[in-house]
Amino acid sequence: MVLTRTFRAPVEDVWASVTEPARTARWFGEWRGEAGPGRVVEMRMAFEEGAPWCAMRIDACEPPYRLAVSMADGSASEASDASAPASPSPSPSEEPTSDASAPGEPGVPHASPPEQAGDADPWPMELLLSEADGVTELRLVHHRPSADGVGEIGPGWEFYLDLLVASRAHAPLPDFTAYYPAQRAYFASLPTHAPPPPGGAPAPAP
C-alpha cells in the first residue's frame, strides 16, 4: 500500500519532520533510544487510545531520502504502558529526547525487537522522499503479504499523514472519526495485484 503527500519545502526539512523526536511527537509520537540501522527504539503512539509504546526496528536509514522500519502492532506490544497519559503535542521549543531507557525503569518501557513484542507480526514500512523544484514528495509504503486489514490500515495511515500535513502547517489537527469507518469501504474495495514471479513475467490476475 502506497500513500503520498507533497510539501513545498526542502527534502531535509520534511526528513526532519519524520525523524526528529520533537517533531514526530507533533503528528505520530515521540521516540527514544539509540537510533541507527539494525537498532530498536521505542515509539509512543501518542494519538492512539492509551498512548501505548511499541518497539520499532530501524531496518535502513539513508538521510534524507529513505527510512525503513519494522514496527510492532502497538495494541499487542509488550512495550506498552496503558496507564501513562497520552503525550500532548509538544511546543517547538521542546528538546528531543534521545537517551535509551534502562530495562525496567518505572513508567518507561524497554523496547524489544518487533518480532518479540506480543504475538502480532511486525509491520515493515518505508518512507521515501524526493525533491524537485522546491517540492518534496513523501511516499509511505506499507508492505503487506495480503490485502487483509487494508480497510482498517488505509484510513489509519491517511489520518496520520494528514496529521503530519497539519502539524507542519500549524493547522488544526484532523479527527480520526472523519477517516474511519468512512474510508473503510473504499480501501477494502481497491484492487490488489500479486507480485510478479521470478523472471519478470507478469503474474496472472487473482
Side-chain angles (χ1 to χ4, degrees):
M1 182 172 62
V2 182
L3 301 174
T4 64
R5 294 293 188 276
T6 57
F7 305 89
R8 190 165 294 279
V11 65
E12 292 84 2
D13 184 57
V14 180
W15 175 263
S17 288
V18 300
T19 58
E20 294 181 3
R23 296 183 69 172
T24 61
R26 302 172 192 171
W27 66 277
F28 194 80
E30 63 182 315
W31 63 268
R32 66 185 73 195
E34 187 175 351
R39 296 184 179 274
V40 177
V41 298
E42 53 190 14
M43 170 71 71
R44 189 172 198 179
M45 308 293 291
F47 296 89
E48 300 290 331
E49 184 177 357
W53 293 84
C54 69
M56 179 179 288
R57 183 180 58 227
I58 301 172
D59 298 317
C61 184
E62 303 164 11
Y65 300 110
R66 176 175 179 250
L67 176 66
V69 300
S70 295
M71 183 176 176
D73 182 350
S75 64
S77 173
E78 291 178 347
S80 64
D81 181 12
S83 63
S87 298
S89 299
S91 65
S93 62
E94 289 183 359
E95 293 296 325
T97 301
S98 58
D99 293 335
S101 59
E105 181 179 346
V108 182
H110 181 66
S112 301
E115 61 270 18
Q116 298 176 7
D119 298 327
D121 293 331
W123 284 7
M125 297 173 290
E126 292 181 271
L127 292 176
L128 306 175
L129 289 76
S130 60
E131 181 184 355
D133 300 325
V135 175
T136 296
E137 179 186 80
L138 181 149
R139 287 190 294 153
L140 183 149
V141 183
H142 187 154
H143 299 283
R144 301 287 298 164
S146 73
D148 293 346
V150 169
E152 291 74 33
I153 295 170
W157 285 129
E158 290 282 8
F159 169 65
Y160 274 113
L161 289 177
D162 283 350
L163 281 173
L164 171 60
V165 172
S167 71
R168 287 181 53 85
H170 304 287
L173 300 182
D175 188 330
F176 184 60
T177 58
Y179 297 79
Y180 186 87
Q183 296 182 4
R184 180 178 184 177
Y186 166 77
F187 277 95
S189 69
L190 292 176
T192 59
H193 303 280

